Amino acid sequence: MADPRTAPVAGPVTTGTGRGTASGTPRPGATPRPGVTGPGATGAVRGADASCVAVAARPAPGGDDAERAPSGRLLARAAALTAALTAMGALLGLVRDQLLAHTFGAGTGTDAFLVAWTVPEFAATLLIEDGMALVLVPAFAAALARRAGVPAGGHDPVHALVRATLPRAALVMGAAAGLLVLAAPLVVPLLAPGLPERRLAVDCTRLTATCLLSFALAGYCSAALRAHGRYLAPAAIYIAYNTGIITAVVLLDPGTWGVRAAAAGVAAGGALMVLVQAPVLWHRLRAPEVPRHSAPGAPDAPAPGAPDAPGAPGAPAPDAPDAPGGPAARRQPGAALRPVLAVLAPVIVFAVSRQSQVLVERFLAAPLPAGAISHLNYAQKVAQLPMVLSLMLCTVSFPVVARALAAGDTGTARRRAERDLLLAGVIVLVGAATVMAAAPQIVGLLFQRGAFDATDTAATAAVMRVYALGLLGQTLVGALVRCYFSAARPLWYPAVAMLGGIALTAAAGWAWAGPWGARGIAAANALGITLTAALLLLGVRRQSVPLDARRLTAGLARLTAAAAVATAAGRWCAAGPPPLAVPLAFAAVTAAFTATACALRAPVVPSLVRSVHPFRRLAKARS
């Protein structure tokens, strides 16, 4: 399960490379929005996403560059900036976890805090990464597209959307936060029955309840800013979030506050996520409006008879019920969200079901001996890093696939998607082999200090090795779902496959938690996500990107065999003190994986070796 606190948070971006093309760049481990329209798109989806395509194909005349669809170069710069700031946020997340381990260890107190942290984790998926972004980015894109056709001095659709949605969202989520504060004594037993430090978990839950409001506001700001072509502030939110947690743990006296200091830091981090974005959004909304079309024949007006010109065939009259800024739009500013919600319902169900993995894990781990939840948490944080790195590749290259689909070039989309999926498999398998080979040394190097002792290191390392078995499945799910949600119609198959994986995780975890403890829960997680990956791989051939499932399976099988050999080599070299053992294990894993993959004629790896060969690079430089 991808951790929302460290995973990239690149929201959908509308772009255009030609007539009627659109694409998005979602975060790794998250799901992109549907809405790439092209040949064969259904009428219902065209109605829901036509505004997004309009932003790509018809930038507002006279508007600044921020109001126009970003070019390929701008999209690449935005992706690079998002990746850099995401890496900084992930690094701060690692520092945060090291500080928590050093200060509080892996006992009952940390377990209580992690149970309280479950609510912010779940809220981050719905309110920041998937739900809020996938609903509001298309809505703001539609409002920006309608703004260009409103007469001077007319009703501004962007401001109307903000007035219609922001106060309601703040009111609803503020009420939800207050309700959670009151209901915390009832919520904690539902999340973790049998938890020893129930009172402490209730206190922490009440402190973190404010995240329901702050995360909603942060997600709203992120969606609005990305729709306006502003990427810096949204990409920096997890830097602010982790900074708040680290600062609170350092400044507040752990002897007095205990793990409540970390819970207060979560609340402070959520507030900082809003503060880094709100001034930018306020400035954007107060900026001079884009010049409107005042009259036919004016410099910024569409040519008479053009499809969007007033009075053109098929164009609505200015006061027609469905006209942009017309009476119906003013009376029901939220009506435009309904078709978008219908299209995005499968995406939201998929995201919620995938995030439910953490609920299942902590529910099953609560009755286990003290520290089980903490060991699962620390093991997952380290084990998922290779998956995050592998999925960043798919995030950056996703616009290429989407643009090819929009142009009807399924061959280019298929080749790019297959290569990216195999390359992501190479990255995650090398990382998984390193984790399995040197798990005790990695955990000792990162966490074994202060209250985190050698016993915690051994328990966490054992769980981390089991988690690593499911890393390939996690990566395949994150990469394959992009192929499904590239389609111009809602697809329920990924959500159903994810629900099947969650059901298997819950059943296997229930059976294995007793005899094997936290390792049994980690094994159930790996089994469930692998089932989901297999189902997605089996069904992808019939979707918008017709991947060759048989060829992909054969290639991944060879890469997995190479990873098994590399794990043995890395474990043999992982000797000595952790500072030396970890780089030795990684070097051994990389060398053994490369040699074995080339010997087995595994895909991607031989071409990578040729591309980095020093003589080949020198010859290219001379030519």
Side-chain angles (χ1 to χ4, degrees):
M1 188 274 300
D3 179 16
R5 290 162 281 155
T6 57
V9 193
V13 179
T14 310
T15 184
T17 57
R19 190 172 177 179
T21 59
S23 65
T25 52
R27 58 171 185 82
T31 52
R33 65 172 177 84
V36 180
T37 57
T42 62
V45 176
R46 281 197 181 102
D49 285 347
S51 57
C52 301
V53 179
V55 174
R58 295 187 294 103
D64 60 13
D65 292 338
E67 301 291 335
R68 304 184 183 205
S71 64
R73 180 176 298 179
L74 177 60
L75 186 63
R77 290 174 58 189
L81 178 64
T82 299
L85 291 177
T86 297
M88 293 176 61
L91 180 61
L92 276 179
L94 182 59
V95 173
R96 172 205 67 201
D97 291 333
Q98 289 178 317
L99 180 62
L100 293 176
H102 177 271
T103 307
F104 306 115
T108 55
T110 308
D111 288 352
F113 164 68
L114 292 174
V115 169
W117 209 357
T118 303
V119 175
E121 284 180 321
F122 206 87
T125 296
L126 294 180
L127 301 178
I128 299 177
E129 298 168 17
D130 291 335
M132 187 75 77
L134 293 171
V135 171
L136 285 179
V137 168
F140 272 100
L144 288 169
R146 291 197 304 271
R147 170 188 276 180
V150 176
H155 184 72
D156 187 347
V158 176
H159 292 173
L161 178 62
V162 173
R163 287 193 297 268
T165 55
L166 181 56
R168 296 177 185 178
L171 181 62
V172 170
M173 298 315 300
L179 182 62
L180 180 59
V181 170
L182 297 176
L186 302 177
V187 172
V188 168
L190 294 177
L191 295 176
L195 188 71
E197 293 284 353
R198 181 175 297 182
R199 179 61 188 173
L200 181 59
V202 169
D203 292 343
C204 292
T205 300
R206 284 171 168 163
L207 287 170
T208 60
T210 58
C211 287
L212 292 180
L213 176 59
S214 60
F215 281 9
L217 295 177
Y220 191 99
C221 292
S222 295
L225 287 172
R226 289 192 179 104
H228 281 84
R230 297 293 186 265
Y231 308 104
L232 179 60
I237 59 175
Y238 280 92
I239 296 177
Y241 179 62
N242 289 322
T243 299
I245 299 175
I246 293 170
T247 303
V249 173
V250 170
L251 295 182
L252 298 178
D253 181 16
T256 303
W257 283 73
V259 293
R260 295 178 183 87
V266 172
L272 289 176
M273 295 169 83
V274 181
L275 291 178
V276 298
Q277 299 182 99
V280 183
L281 180 59
W282 177 258
H283 175 74
R284 182 67 262 170
L285 293 177
R286 286 178 59 88
E289 296 179 1
V290 179
R292 309 284 173 77
H293 305 323
S294 55
D300 291 331
D308 300 316
D319 293 329
D322 296 330
R330 287 193 290 269
R331 287 194 306 267
Q332 297 179 333
L337 290 176
R338 296 191 187 105
V340 177
L341 285 171
V343 172
L344 296 178
V347 184
I348 296 174
V349 172
F350 173 85
V352 171
S353 58
R354 188 175 186 187
Q355 184 63 18
S356 298
Q357 288 177 302
V358 70
L359 297 178
V360 173
E361 289 182 3
R362 291 178 183 172
F363 182 89
L364 295 175
L368 297 180
I373 295 177
S374 300
H375 297 149
L376 286 165
N377 175 73
Y378 291 125
Q380 189 184 86
K381 296 298 183 298
V382 179
Q384 73 180 359
L385 289 178
M387 180 197 68
V388 171
L389 293 175
S390 65
L391 286 179
M392 287 178 104
L393 170 70
C394 298
T395 297
V396 173
S397 66
F398 179 74
V400 178
V401 177
R403 285 194 294 269
L405 284 176
D409 188 359
T410 57
T412 298
R414 176 183 58 79
R415 289 190 296 271
R416 183 75 215 190
E418 287 181 354
R419 178 174 174 80
D420 288 347
L421 195 147
L422 290 171
L423 187 54
V426 169
I427 296 172
V428 77
L429 285 172
V430 170
T434 304
V435 166
M436 295 181 69
Q441 291 82 0
I442 294 173
V443 175
L445 180 64
L446 294 177
F447 301 121
Q448 189 173 326
R449 56 186 62 88
F452 198 97
D453 56 22
T455 303
D456 294 323
T457 295
T460 302
V463 174
M464 194 164 72
R465 278 176 167 156
V466 180
Y467 261 133
L469 297 174
L471 286 181
L472 180 60
Q474 297 278 9
T475 298
L476 291 178
V477 170
L480 288 170
V481 78
R482 286 162 168 77
C483 299
Y484 283 92
F485 290 144
S486 298
R489 63 187 185 278
L491 298 173
W492 283 98
Y493 183 77
V496 174
M498 192 68 238
L499 289 172
I502 286 293
L504 180 59
T505 297
W510 185 270
W512 296 345
W516 296 332
R519 289 177 297 172
I521 297 174
N525 181 298
L527 182 63
I529 199 65
T530 301
L531 172 64
T532 301
L535 292 175
L536 292 178
L537 189 59
L538 287 174
V540 77
R541 185 178 180 86
R542 297 187 298 273
Q543 305 308 323
S544 57
V545 185
L547 304 183
D548 189 340
R550 181 175 299 179
R551 192 169 73 88
L552 284 173
T553 302
L556 291 170
R558 294 180 183 180
L559 293 172
T560 303
V565 175
T567 301
R571 194 160 185 174
W572 183 75
C573 294
L580 182 61
V582 174
L584 281 177
F586 177 72
V589 164
T590 303
F593 180 88
T594 303
T596 308
C598 290
L600 294 175
R601 296 183 179 180
V604 177
V605 177
S607 61
L608 289 176
V609 173
R610 289 193 296 269
S611 66
V612 299
H613 194 283
F615 295 107
R616 182 181 179 87
R617 295 179 63 183
L618 181 60
K620 283 186 176 181
R622 288 178 176 176
S623 62

